Amino acid sequence: MPTPLPVAVPDQAPLPTLPTSAAPSGDGRLLFDVARPDAAGRVTARALLRALGWTPGLTLHVDVVTGAILITPAAEGAHVVGTREELPLPAAVRHLCGIAPGEPVLLAALPRQNRIVAHPSNTIAAVLADLHARILGEPS
């Protein structure tokens, strides 16, 4: 049986680097979670609520801003943090943002601004597809 010839290992191509984040997580400036609204439009967000110090019964204002759901504490808010530490995503705002029942949403908490922004998964998918295309040099 002949002796196999040595095979040169090809150099690995360098991995693309992701852009640096303007607000890295973990330092109190931006925290993330992913949740799926239940049939009533509530999403469980215990870690984010605890990081913000929001407790069950806190009144909230829920609004749509640029295709995302903005949730802020409000003394005369029409919604409340639920007893199981869930956030309300009312039907009207889910409809305006194109969030289908059971579709995941990306929750971003901004502790310094005392707010949570819920982003529909279709928006996140479009942003990631665009980023992927730019990294690979493909037209978007």
Side-chain angles (χ1 to χ4, degrees):
M1 176 163 237
T3 305
L5 296 172
V7 177
V9 178
D11 292 336
Q12 290 186 346
L15 293 174
T17 58
L18 292 174
T20 58
S21 172
S25 64
D27 67 354
R29 293 191 321 188
L30 189 59
L31 304 168
F32 294 104
D33 200 354
V34 175
R36 292 178 188 270
D38 65 12
R42 296 176 302 242
V43 292
T44 301
R46 287 182 183 96
L48 299 183
L49 293 173
R50 290 174 183 170
L52 292 170
W54 295 7
T55 57
L58 176 70
T59 55
L60 304 169
H61 179 73
V62 180
D63 201 2
V64 175
V65 178
T66 318
I69 301 170
L70 177 64
I71 305 167
T72 55
E76 298 183 18
H79 307 281
V80 297
V81 173
T83 57
R84 295 182 182 159
E85 297 179 295
E86 67 266 348
L87 292 169
L89 302 181
V93 297
R94 290 193 319 270
H95 178 73
L96 286 171
C97 292
I99 298 172
E103 179 180 310
V105 294
L106 175 67
L107 302 169
L110 300 114
R112 291 184 182 165
Q113 290 83 26
N114 200 28
R115 64 184 63 168
I116 292 177
V117 181
H119 297 276
S121 61
N122 58 354
T123 300
I124 301 303
V127 168
L128 291 175
D130 182 57
L131 177 61
H132 181 74
R134 283 196 261 155
I135 288 171
L136 297 178
E138 300 171 355
S140 48

